Amino acid sequence: MGVIEAHELRRTYRTSTGTFRRKSLDVEAVRGVTFAVESGELFGLLGPNGAGKTTTIKMLITLLIPTSGTARVLGHDVVKDAREVRRRIGYVFGGDRGLYDRLSGLDNLRYFAELYAVPPREMRRRIGELLDLVGLAGRENERVEGYSRGMRQRLHIARGLLHDPPVVFLDEPTIGVDPVGARELRATIAQLVEAGKTVLLTTHYMFEADQLCNRIAVISQGEIVAEGTPADLKANVSEGGVVEIEVFGIDEPAVQRLRAIEGVRSVGVEPREQAQVLVVQTDGRELTHALLVPLDGAQVGRVSVREPTLEDAYVALVRES
Amino acid sequence: MKQLMRSALFVFTSLIEPLIMATIAFYTAKAGGKPEALFYMAIGAGVMGIWSSTLFGSGGVISWQRWEGTLELLVASPPPLLVIVVPLTIATATIGIYSLSATLLWGWLLFDIPFHLAHPLLFVIALPAGVISMGLLGLLIAATFVLYREANALSNMLEFPIALVTGLLFTTALLPDWTHPIGWVLAPTWAVNAIRESALGGSPGMAIVLCLVLGAAYVVLASWFLRVLEVKAREKATLSLA
């Protein structure tokens, strides 16, 4: 039995427009997601913005009721046994919000420790340990409104761990954090798994998932499009190749012509200052010359061929979905 | 409480509004040629301050948590939401005690209104009973804010109508009969009666008991509301602003 189990989870949001003639629209954010996370595992839910990662995590931590499907955490149903689930989990959302800005970091931690019934004797020791873990020792008496984003994020992590939960949900914990701060946060996350916790991490940073996760599920448009270890996902594209072509002023018909070439798996266009870079994933055939033919008339710059990375695998999966 | 007291807007409202209300009340009483009613009106203005503080604080407490992004954290924590929200609403009502003190002090300093309590012991019981019952009415109002993101607009609308039907500003005998039952189920009616009768002389016992009974009824209703509305909010995804 998995520590976290999601079975055919679905979630639809109803939005409405108009003032007098209101029209309602159903948006399917999560469309039948199924996965299981084993004990002590760091499982990554990887996907672009709007893919359904946060909605999935909010259903698992009891903040949203699924439209259909079931989910269990440590054997407790997230709808029927919400309180049992809440006692056993910690969760951390990315971003600036979710803290009492006018209170000190220490007051924030004390308040949430009381909510989670951490015994008063243990509270001081626990808060001290967590401040050390997240590198905020010595800054705990300052008001949160003066904290940097990285410090806030680390305080969020400390808050989520106050009651020493066996299962931790991290929703894009490094979003908006500078590279050094993000690296420190990743080190903290790795320590959680070393301490035996089961972690579900959502991110849209490929390298973060690659570096931290034992297994990854790629989610796109509310559906899981691939699942496996980082090595499994890389293997999906390892037989192929990637050609990067720098062009100036390419139009959509030309991109369509590239996609139509036999052996081309996907074509992405990435803007780079005044140029664009075409990232063409192939099935391994030598297509460099064939790819240049439809670009006749466009100014072509540097052309390079390289091995596919995990990011290429991710991009291909998201584009195909 | 600490978070609220660091809100400049909240402190300003709690500090200034009672003094404005008190001044209006004193001049109204003087203009009416009833100087003996000054202390009566001063207490009404002070309780009005408690009511404003409760309404603004309790109404705002859920909205503020939603804006700060902490409402989701509170809902997803193990205790029932009632246990989390009750101290918040009682705290805002307690801050309102300042309003009463400031009003009476203002009256004594500027308008020579003597501060004499007819039943000091009963006053000490009536004041917390009144404050708690109003705080618990705030809890009932706060419960609706869990589901409705725009409900804080309601708190502005409720301030004066409730002050009128509960007799905070003038006696309810001047109002149409149909308004009286509305006042009877609202805590400020009995809170102001209990405080006035203990201060001016009378029998505040029944009003104190009714404050406590109504407070208990509000807790039962709010508990049910919070449970139902929390589930609805999780269905409708209204716990966060996003």
Side-chain angles (χ1 to χ4, degrees):
Chain A
M1 189 181 74
V3 169
I4 305 168
E5 294 172 318
H7 182 69
E8 280 297 317
L9 270 187
R10 284 177 184 274
R11 173 72 206 197
T12 305
Y13 292 108
R14 174 158 288 187
T15 58
S16 54
T17 54
T19 308
F20 298 108
R21 288 184 181 178
R22 292 183 77 80
K23 283 183 184 171
S24 60
L25 176 72
D26 287 343
V27 179
E28 273 198 297
V30 174
R31 301 187 291 177
V33 161
T34 300
F35 63 86
V37 184
E38 302 301 324
S39 179
E41 195 174 25
L42 201 163
F43 186 85
L45 210 50
L46 180 69
N49 293 332
K53 304 186 295 292
T54 298
T55 299
T56 303
I57 221 168
K58 282 191 176 178
M59 287 191 278
L60 294 172
I61 66 172
T62 76
L63 283 176
L64 284 175
I65 293 180
T67 308
S68 67
T70 57
R72 301 173 82 81
V73 177
L74 291 164
H76 299 283
D77 188 281
V78 297
V79 178
K80 291 177 196 149
D81 311 321
R83 189 148 312 149
E84 294 304 316
V85 174
R86 290 170 183 175
R87 280 199 185 104
R88 291 165 173 82
I89 62 167
Y91 49 90
V92 175
F93 296 141
D96 281 339
R97 296 167 71 248
L99 293 165
Y100 296 103
D101 278 7
R102 294 195 190 104
L103 299 185
S104 67
L106 184 61
D107 282 340
N108 270 274
L109 293 179
R110 278 189 189 142
Y111 180 60
F112 282 100
E114 281 173 17
L115 283 184
Y116 280 87
V118 177
R121 277 188 183 177
E122 221 178 280
M123 192 188 293
R124 201 170 167 177
R125 179 187 58 78
R126 184 80 190 135
I127 289 176
E129 281 173 5
L130 288 169
L131 288 169
D132 283 335
L133 176 77
V134 300
L136 284 178
R139 307 290 301 271
E140 68 271 26
N141 290 314
E142 295 171 29
R143 281 199 198 182
V144 170
E145 60 193 0
Y147 280 17
S148 68
R149 185 171 256 196
M151 288 168 71
R152 283 164 174 264
Q153 205 52 48
R154 283 182 277 154
L155 186 62
H156 270 305
I157 291 184
R159 181 196 50 73
L161 299 174
L162 278 166
H163 55 301
D164 198 15
V167 186
V168 182
F169 293 86
L170 304 171
D171 189 15
E172 304 195 17
T174 58
I175 194 161
V177 180
D178 67 68
V180 176
R183 193 161 64 179
E184 286 169 2
L185 279 173
R186 284 195 289 275
T188 307
I189 294 166
Q191 278 176 276
L192 298 181
V193 182
E194 282 167 22
K197 300 199 182 298
T198 304
V199 179
L200 192 150
L201 167 82
T202 75
T203 180
H204 56 241
Y205 299 130
M206 194 67 240
F207 64 94
E208 189 165 276
D210 192 10
Q211 183 185 332
L212 290 171
C213 299
N214 305 112
R215 279 190 308 132
I216 296 169
V218 177
I219 184 166
S220 179
Q221 294 177 32
E223 290 176 315
I224 289 182
V225 292
E227 189 183 329
T229 64
D232 290 339
L233 296 181
K234 281 179 206 171
N236 285 345
V237 288
S238 63
E239 289 167 6
V242 176
V243 182
E244 289 188 347
I245 306 166
E246 189 181 39
V247 288
F248 297 85
I250 189 163
D251 54 15
E252 187 54 29
V255 175
Q256 291 300 338
R257 287 197 293 275
L258 287 174
R259 287 193 177 119
I261 294 172
E262 197 181 338
V264 169
R265 284 176 173 165
S266 73
V267 180
V269 183
E270 295 174 5
R272 300 257 173 95
E273 294 177 356
Q274 289 153 356
Q276 296 101 36
V277 173
L278 298 171
V279 182
V280 184
Q281 294 201 29
T282 68
D283 61 5
R285 286 179 235 188
E286 171 46 54
L287 292 174
T288 311
H289 179 70
L291 291 171
L292 293 173
V293 174
L295 301 176
D296 189 29
Q299 189 184 343
V300 177
R302 192 171 54 85
V303 178
S304 62
V305 179
R306 62 170 173 79
E307 294 288 310
T309 62
L310 186 56
E311 186 164 346
D312 295 316
Y314 165 70
V315 170
L317 284 165
V318 171
R319 286 218 175 102
E320 283 165 15
S321 65
Chain B
M1 178 89 97
K2 215 170 181 178
Q3 171 88 354
L4 271 178
M5 292 308 285
R6 286 178 180 172
S7 159
L9 179 66
F10 186 79
V11 171
F12 183 78
T13 310
S14 306
L15 210 72
I16 302 299
E17 189 172 331
L19 303 186
I20 297 170
M21 293 307 299
T23 308
I24 294 170
F26 297 136
Y27 281 112
T28 309
K30 274 192 173 175
K34 292 183 175 174
E36 71 283 1
L38 280 174
F39 193 34
Y40 176 93
M41 294 205 66
I43 291 171
V47 177
M48 174 77 192
I50 302 178
W51 170 237
S52 300
S53 168
T54 307
L55 193 60
F56 184 49
S58 306
V61 79
I62 296 292
S63 304
W64 290 336
Q65 304 275 358
R66 184 177 275 125
W67 290 328
E68 298 251 21
T70 48
L71 182 60
E72 287 187 318
L73 304 184
L74 298 184
V75 169
S77 63
L81 206 47
L82 180 80
V83 175
I84 299 169
V85 182
V86 164
L88 301 175
T89 57
I90 297 287
T92 59
T94 308
I95 293 169
I97 291 178
Y98 157 78
S99 308
L100 182 64
S101 321
T103 307
L104 296 178
L105 189 67
W106 187 253
W108 178 65
L109 287 174
L110 269 78
F111 302 96
D112 291 329
I113 299 172
F115 181 70
H116 171 73
L117 298 176
H119 307 297
L121 189 66
L122 286 173
F123 183 83
V124 171
I125 299 168
L127 182 61
V131 167
I132 290 170
S133 64
M134 283 197 274
L136 295 173
L137 176 58
L139 169 73
L140 192 58
I141 293 166
T144 61
F145 288 43
V146 171
L147 180 64
Y148 301 107
R149 282 182 280 208
E150 301 83 9
N152 56 335
L154 191 71
S155 65
N156 299 328
M157 227 168 66
L158 287 176
E159 186 174 6
F160 282 94
I162 288 186
L164 290 177
V165 296
T166 57
L168 299 187
L169 300 177
F170 51 78
T171 174
T172 53
L174 299 172
L175 296 174
D177 288 347
W178 63 266
T179 62
H180 296 164
I182 302 170
W184 296 337
V185 295
L186 295 169
T189 302
W190 306 109
V192 76
N193 278 352
I195 295 168
R196 272 177 183 152
E197 291 194 14
S198 61
L200 299 168
S203 311
M206 182 55 79
I208 292 173
V209 169
L210 283 169
C211 279
L212 300 175
V213 170
L214 271 181
Y218 295 150
V219 171
V220 173
L221 266 176
S223 168
W224 180 74
F225 263 22
L226 280 171
R227 259 182 289 144
V228 172
L229 296 180
E230 183 203 310
V231 172
K232 283 270 171 217
R234 287 163 59 208
E235 281 172 4
K236 288 175 163 267
T238 58
L239 291 171
S240 68
L241 288 177

